[in-house]
Amino acid sequence: MPVAPDRRLIFLLNAGHRRVQRWLEAEMAAKGGLTAAQSGVLFLLGEKDGALIGEAADALDLAPSAMTGLIDRMTKAELVERRADPKDGRAMRLHLTDKGRGAREEAKAGLQGIKAQLTEGFSDDEIDVVARWLASLQTKFPKGDAL
């Protein structure tokens, strides 16, 4: 039995993700050059300054290898700095720089407009259902599990 076009959830999820991601990257590039991933690191460190690189990778659902390159670029841009963990000199902790804190505030301000655009035309109850459904995907499909 054919699936109604508005119920092709996998297609709609993927297509929506691609469009929003492209739009976000273009908007962010136009407003200062941060990527969505860089903004995610800034938001995380704003809440948990001094996070380990692995903790940040887990929080952002990124592979450790991808996180290393991301942090290298952010360090070069002087948004974050690495510091040795005082209890384990082999471990590196991430800290916001003053420039990183400023960039975080700019990204945070821009996020309000993006959220308004994403939720336009939907009631709070509808957004609650969408948010619950999207959050459930992380539980239904844990990181690392194959089909």
Side-chain angles (χ1 to χ4, degrees):
M1 173 154 81
V3 177
D6 64 346
R7 293 291 181 161
R8 299 174 298 165
L9 297 180
I10 304 244
F11 169 78
L12 293 170
L13 182 64
N14 284 323
H17 173 261
R18 282 191 304 275
R19 286 192 184 200
V20 170
Q21 191 69 33
R22 278 190 226 120
W23 185 87
L24 280 173
E25 295 292 344
E27 283 290 306
M28 294 170 92
K31 293 180 180 176
L34 286 179
T35 65
Q38 289 172 330
S39 295
V41 171
L42 296 177
F43 292 144
L44 173 72
L45 294 178
E47 298 296 319
K48 189 179 179 185
D49 199 39
L52 292 166
I53 291 178
E55 292 171 338
D58 284 344
L60 299 174
D61 201 21
L62 292 174
S65 58
M67 192 69 185
T68 300
L70 174 62
I71 297 304
D72 286 346
R73 291 185 295 281
M74 293 182 76
T75 300
K76 187 174 182 178
E78 300 178 346
L79 297 170
V80 300
E81 62 184 16
R82 291 177 171 105
R83 295 184 203 152
D85 185 302
K87 296 177 184 171
D88 179 356
R90 298 169 298 165
M92 298 303 284
R93 295 202 171 265
L94 303 174
H95 295 273
L96 284 174
T97 62
D98 288 341
K99 185 176 177 181
R101 277 187 271 290
R104 179 183 183 271
E105 290 307 312
E106 289 176 28
K108 198 172 177 184
L111 197 55
Q112 296 309 315
I114 294 166
K115 284 182 181 178
Q117 189 167 354
L118 283 171
T119 59
E120 183 181 342
F122 294 92
S123 71
D124 286 344
D125 288 342
E126 290 171 318
I127 296 303
D128 287 344
V129 170
V130 171
R132 187 171 58 85
W133 181 75
L134 290 170
S136 79
L137 297 178
Q138 294 177 39
T139 303
K140 291 175 183 175
F141 305 98
K143 189 164 53 170
D145 280 3
L147 291 176

